[in-house]
Amino acid sequence: MSKLSEVTRSDPHILSGIPVFSGTRVPVRSLFDYLEGGETIEEFLHQFPAIKREQTTAVLDMAYESVAHHPKILRKNPSCQ
């Protein structure tokens, strides 16, 4: 699972096109909300058993890669200095 289209899906007929984990109706944003709230990936997977660990790892890896390839984003954020 390395392509975004294999891990997530955006369809106007599913939650008005909000990106969801493929094969589910769980918004990708939910993963980030859980992590921002101090929850673990294990707790997220427990709450959403239809989502595979590989999907969460792939989403987080892709998020990292999108930031890593845009170093200006990191320089603009004072907490990253």
Side-chain angles (χ1 to χ4, degrees):
M1 268 189 214
S2 59
K3 294 182 183 178
L4 188 60
S5 62
E6 295 173 353
V7 179
T8 65
R9 180 174 180 191
S10 183
D11 181 328
H13 297 104
I14 300 173
L15 296 178
S16 300
I18 293 172
V20 297
F21 285 94
S22 293
T24 76
R25 295 177 63 84
V26 178
V28 172
R29 179 70 206 174
S30 295
L31 171 61
F32 292 97
D33 289 344
Y34 264 71
L35 296 175
E36 287 172 10
E39 300 293 338
T40 64
I41 291 174
E42 288 73 22
E43 179 61 25
F44 176 79
L45 294 170
H46 177 73
Q47 293 298 320
F48 302 100
I51 299 172
K52 298 178 180 93
R53 177 175 293 280
E54 293 80 15
Q55 287 176 291
T56 62
T57 302
V59 165
L60 293 172
D61 286 346
M62 285 181 248
Y64 169 77
E65 289 299 321
S66 72
V67 172
H69 285 88
H70 295 89
K72 290 181 182 180
I73 294 172
L74 293 176
R75 280 187 249 138
K76 289 182 182 179
N77 186 344
S79 67
C80 294
Q81 296 179 1

